[in-house]
Amino acid sequence: MAAVRPTPADPMPGVFVAGRETGDQRAMPPELGPDSMAVLSGPTFMYSDRAGDVPPGGIGGLVHLDTRLISGWVLTINGNRLLVLRAETIDHYSAQFILTSPALPGLPPDTVGVRRLRYVGQGFHERIELLSYKAEPCTVELRLAVRADFADLFEIKSGVRDRSDSILRQHTPDQLLFSYDHEDFSAWTSVRCSIPADRVEGDDLVWQVTLDPRQQWQLDLRVPLPPGMGVVETGRADFAEVIHGRRNDPIRRWIETRAKLRSDHPSLEQTIRQSRYDLAALRLDLEVRGQRIMLPGAGLPWFLTLFGRDTLITAYQTLTAGPMLARGALLALARLQGRRCDNFTDEEPGRILHEVRSGELTRTGRKPYTPYYGTADATQLWLILLSEYWRWTGDDDLVRSLRDNALAALNWIDHFGDRDGDGYVEYATRSPEGLGNQCWRDSPDGVRFSDGRIPVLPIATCEIQGYTYDAKLRLAELADGPLADPALATRLRAEAAGLYERFNRDFWLDERGGFYAVGLDGDKNPIDSKTSNMGHLLWSGIVPPERAERVVRQLMHPDMFSGWGIRTLSREDRPFNALGYHLGTVWPHDNSIAVLGMTRYGFRAEANRVALALLDVAEQFDHRLPEALSGYVRERTLFAVPYPTACSPQAWAAGAPLALARAMAGLNPVNGRLVLDPDIPPEVGRIHVDDVRAFGRLWEVEAVGRTGHVRLQDAPA
């Protein structure tokens, strides 16, 4: 394909115009404020402010399968919004809001106490309780203003099309019903009340509630969710179980059966515990072409769906906690592997998908996410995960069952991924709605020259070549093992060796202390920005040992290392912005990959320094790492600052602490046994892990400093 540079008249694919997403829109702070709250279950979430309200016109609401069923949900007493005393999530799927009435005519402040309870599971449920503290009877008007715009998730971020003329309303005192049909897409929202409203005004439900002194009044609301897209919903029994704890909660059972870490470092222990909880909350239980599969969704609120890259990296990070998520990711993505060439969806035979969506814009053919295949790295990452899963489990049968998928992935790398036959995997979308950047830095301006220029397409980024190198070596190992194809193993090792030599010749730049270019542009010019992608090269093993120290020194230089983590882009480069999505922020998952890479090459002190910095970050956010942080200097801001619209929880950020602990312990599966090579920093002291699943057995791991042991536990996994 000829090199192409997007121009203002020809926007870069992936930049949304007139309803498309742009980098600036992605970075806008959320209208709900920094204390916004969400409850989620599978592909469903409710995003509100601290009062439990969803003011119309913002990003909040009830979203199910990428469609917003409720866009406004505001509770008032006598026409006034309530004051927040405290609001907290009870569980990932439930929350409680303790509110009170403001000063109103004839009603002193704090006269009516209000509690809102809500949960998501086989529908959205909310309970509203009023309690009067007035010495004599009083009557208040309780109003719930409801709106339903049926916006696609992509629109919520960038500008919602007005559908009001196409939305039908059939309201009664005990139910509001909104319905919408457009082409092949239909959706409906039903708000059902346990107590019929005294009147319905437009889309508002209004109750005249008379309360005696200390009398409590209770209203239950339910919003059923339309079925679809193969999602297996988890049910919640009732509000009593939400408040007092669910019996036989599958999420809690899942958490309790994962590996359990104890440490002398309280933040590490609590962060790992929070990660396990968040990963459980983000699990998707899906029917994928006839098979029920469990795997991690990518993140709340924008990415509660099946992804390629995010899901695969999360599954890799979490293998120390058990192989189930990795197995689910491998199977689901194999079943949806590309089979044909489709210009609109960027599908190609053997290619692993990027993202699946199910909102109106996708289902009516305006967006290509059915699935969308525009990623140049997920195919290699699928092969890497297949290998790592096998190393941890010895599951020959699964590898053999996925043989055709593995060979199709290899064929994609060699024939479709290498677009011009130069031995590198490049990307350039063919879709008018496709992504311009198909690496992990997939924002429109995520890959740039050091002077700020946008590279011409197609682009071959450095880490994709590292993934390709690693994938071929790993597939060669599988060919020597369960696939029983020694000729394939020999060929793949030779191809990997050729890529190693070629890459280290073409991507290495001696200027500025020596570093790897982030990529080659469509004219084969090195894209000379200095990025965190070099950490991925260490992870893949494509860096010669004699260059590793220079790469690590670049990553740990103050222009790259903020004190909270490694920035995505060096401050030396002109496009640097501490709040640039891929142009200066710090990503925990990106850092965890670099830590694993540094550990691979023996730079344990540097790896531990990054790991400890991220644990300091987690401690500031209730032990949950956000998707991304600003790239501000630690000594200047004194505390970590999250990226304005960072997902939280986010799967590969939740997986990062498990990867950090693995790096500290130097824990690896080798030929059917677990091998430990610890370098535990003094700040951490001791790491002890029970119930590590490997090779169908449970293992105990303990490490202090540079000593440790691995013991086989009695119980089978």
Side-chain angles (χ1 to χ4, degrees):
M1 176 179 287
V4 176
R5 177 178 284 109
T7 66
D10 177 22
M12 175 183 288
V15 180
F16 297 120
V17 180
R20 293 175 169 184
E21 183 187 15
T22 70
D24 289 342
Q25 289 165 331
R26 179 67 181 86
M28 289 173 61
E31 300 93 325
L32 296 174
D35 295 326
S36 58
M37 292 179 61
V39 292
L40 74 148
S41 177
T44 308
F45 66 88
M46 176 64 158
Y47 219 167
S48 73
D49 63 18
R50 299 297 285 188
D53 289 335
V54 179
I59 65 169
L62 176 67
V63 177
H64 175 65
L65 290 171
D66 302 325
T67 298
R68 184 159 62 181
L69 302 180
I70 290 176
S71 56
W73 188 262
V74 178
L75 187 69
T76 58
I77 284 183
N78 292 356
N80 290 265
R81 293 187 62 190
L82 297 155
L83 304 178
V84 181
L85 298 177
R86 186 172 181 181
E88 298 289 343
T89 55
I90 303 170
D91 227 316
H92 66 272
Y93 56 82
S94 58
Q96 177 177 232
F97 307 82
I98 306 299
L99 314 171
T100 188
S101 59
L104 299 170
L107 203 65
D110 304 324
T111 299
V112 179
V114 180
R115 179 168 81 154
R116 302 174 79 168
L117 287 166
R118 67 174 48 150
Y119 68 91
V120 178
Q122 291 190 338
F124 170 72
H125 308 258
E126 178 157 328
R127 171 171 290 175
I128 299 169
E129 297 174 349
L130 307 184
L131 178 61
S132 174
Y133 293 103
K134 198 170 184 181
E136 61 274 351
C138 67
T139 299
V140 296
E141 179 192 89
L142 182 74
R143 179 182 295 262
L144 181 67
V146 182
R147 304 293 181 267
D149 64 2
F150 300 104
D152 190 286
L153 189 70
F154 288 109
E155 296 177 294
I156 297 173
K157 293 190 285 180
S158 57
V160 176
R161 175 170 61 87
D162 184 2
R163 295 171 173 80
S164 55
D165 290 343
S166 302
I167 297 174
L168 300 179
R169 294 162 170 81
Q170 296 174 283
H171 297 345
T172 63
D174 58 2
Q175 177 179 246
L176 301 182
L177 180 61
F178 305 82
S179 60
Y180 171 72
D181 288 280
H182 180 238
E183 297 179 7
D184 294 331
F185 179 82
S186 62
W188 50 266
T189 300
S190 171
V191 180
R192 302 175 185 177
C193 318
S194 63
I195 299 175
D198 292 295
R199 63 183 187 275
V200 179
E201 296 181 355
D203 295 335
D204 295 4
L205 294 164
V206 183
W207 294 264
Q208 295 296 128
V209 182
T210 299
L211 297 169
D212 291 328
R214 303 295 178 90
Q215 179 186 352
Q216 181 173 297
W217 181 88
Q218 178 179 296
L219 168 70
D220 286 350
L221 303 160
R222 183 167 75 92
V223 181
L225 300 177
M229 304 305 291
V231 176
V232 181
E233 282 271 12
T234 301
R236 313 290 176 206
D238 54 32
F239 280 102
E241 287 199 0
V242 169
I243 298 168
H244 301 298
R246 297 192 67 224
R247 298 182 298 272
N248 300 317
D249 186 345
I251 294 287
R252 295 199 180 279
R253 283 203 311 272
W254 188 88
I255 293 171
E256 289 167 1
T257 56
R258 300 306 97 189
K260 303 172 185 65
L261 180 143
R262 300 192 300 276
S263 172
D264 296 334
H265 191 291
S267 182
L268 173 61
E269 188 171 320
Q270 293 174 57
T271 300
I272 293 288
R273 187 181 303 122
Q274 184 64 47
S275 288
R276 292 166 60 203
Y277 183 78
D278 289 340
L279 289 165
L282 290 169
R283 291 182 315 160
L284 298 176
D285 198 349
L286 304 174
E287 290 279 350
V288 181
R289 292 184 177 167
Q291 183 173 5
R292 186 169 176 179
I293 296 172
M294 191 172 293
L295 46 77
L300 177 77
W302 310 123
F303 305 118
L304 278 178
T305 186
L306 173 60
F307 268 73
R309 177 191 312 118
D310 300 51
T311 297
L312 289 163
I313 288 178
T314 302
Y316 183 98
Q317 293 170 320
T318 58
L319 268 165
T320 53
M324 186 172 65
L325 293 182
R327 181 184 176 90
L330 290 167
L331 290 171
L333 293 170
R335 285 178 171 263
L336 297 171
Q337 190 173 25
R339 300 179 180 180
R340 62 194 177 97
C341 289
D342 185 320
N343 286 342
F344 186 60
T345 64
D346 280 333
E347 180 180 359
E348 291 163 338
R351 196 175 199 178
I352 297 298
L353 65 85
H354 172 62
E355 181 180 358
V356 180
R357 293 293 184 177
S358 53
E360 178 187 359
L361 297 180
T362 296
R363 289 165 63 182
T364 58
R366 288 163 175 78
K367 295 287 183 186
Y369 296 95
T370 57
Y372 176 61
Y373 288 84
T375 174
D377 54 13
T379 307
Q380 298 90 321
L381 289 168
W382 186 88
L383 289 170
I384 290 168
L385 182 65
L386 178 64
S387 159
E388 193 71 5
Y389 170 85
W390 177 76
R391 290 179 181 179
W392 277 90
T393 64
D395 189 348
D396 292 349
D397 290 341
L398 182 73
V399 173
R400 293 189 189 107
S401 73
L402 295 174
R403 177 191 182 96
D404 290 345
N405 302 96
L407 295 179
L410 179 62
N411 184 67
W412 180 85
I413 291 169
D414 290 340
H415 299 289
F416 293 96
D418 185 359
R419 305 167 67 89
D420 56 11
D422 67 346
Y424 297 127
V425 174
E426 302 97 357
Y427 60 76
T429 183
R430 300 188 308 277
S431 173
E433 291 289 343
L435 291 175
N437 280 319
Q438 297 185 358
C439 57
W440 89 265
R441 311 167 71 90
D442 59 1
S443 55
D445 59 356
V447 179
R448 300 176 72 173
F449 284 92
S450 63
D451 61 8
R453 286 176 294 134
I454 299 290
V456 295
L457 301 173
I459 295 172
T461 59
C462 65
E463 84 288 353
I464 290 176
Q465 316 318 313
Y467 299 163
T468 302
Y469 170 78
D470 191 23
K472 291 199 170 189
L473 289 179
R474 286 171 174 267
L475 188 54
E477 181 184 20
L478 295 177
D480 276 337
L483 297 182
D485 191 342
L488 176 62
T490 299
R491 175 169 71 86
L492 288 173
R493 289 192 176 97
E495 290 174 358
L499 176 57
Y500 181 94
E501 295 298 327
R502 191 166 55 249
F503 174 82
N504 281 289
R505 178 193 67 215
D506 296 343
F507 279 75
W508 181 256
L509 302 177
D510 275 317
E511 56 260 33
R512 294 200 285 167
F515 67 101
Y516 286 97
V518 70
L520 303 180
D521 73 0
D523 296 324
K524 306 305 175 185
N525 298 311
I527 306 168
D528 63 342
S529 52
K530 193 182 294 186
T531 70
S532 61
N533 290 29
M534 289 185 287
H536 297 234
L537 300 178
L538 295 171
W539 177 56
S540 68
I542 201 170
V543 177
E546 63 271 17
R547 283 182 179 167
E549 183 177 359
R550 295 171 76 179
V551 171
V552 172
R553 193 162 59 239
Q554 292 280 14
L555 293 171
M556 300 307 296
H557 189 277
D559 284 328
M560 289 290 295
F561 185 69
S562 72
W564 301 116
I566 299 167
R567 299 182 178 96
T568 46
L569 182 69
S570 170
R571 290 187 303 176
E572 296 176 328
D573 290 358
R574 186 173 180 182
F576 172 80
N577 181 342
L579 289 175
Y581 195 47
H582 295 112
L583 299 176
T585 48
V586 172
W587 289 61
H589 94 276
D590 182 36
N591 277 251
S592 76
I593 291 173
V595 166
L596 290 170
M598 292 176 185
T599 299
R600 176 176 187 155
Y601 282 84
F603 292 90
R604 308 300 291 274
E606 292 82 357
N608 285 339
R609 185 181 176 197
V610 176
L612 290 170
L614 289 173
L615 291 176
D616 288 345
V617 171
E619 196 167 9
Q620 298 182 42
F621 295 101
D622 294 326
H623 304 287
R624 172 187 287 165
L625 286 169
E627 173 191 15
L629 309 166
S630 73
Y632 295 136
V633 178
R634 179 170 184 163
E635 289 74 17
R636 180 183 178 190
T637 60
L638 304 181
F639 52 78
V641 179
Y643 181 77
T645 54
C647 288
S648 182
Q650 207 254 10
W652 62 13
L658 281 76
L660 300 178
R662 176 181 177 179
M664 291 180 194
L667 181 63
N668 286 292
V670 179
N671 298 326
R673 60 193 180 93
L674 291 183
V675 174
L676 203 62
D677 179 23
D679 191 335
I680 312 298
E683 295 88 341
V684 171
R686 179 181 66 101
I687 288 179
H688 182 102
V689 190
D690 289 315
D691 298 339
V692 177
R693 281 169 162 72
F695 323 115
R697 303 298 299 273
L698 295 178
W699 304 74
E700 175 194 9
V701 175
E702 185 167 61
V704 179
R706 296 189 177 181
T707 63
H709 67 261
V710 177
R711 292 195 185 100
L712 187 62
Q713 296 175 207
D714 291 335

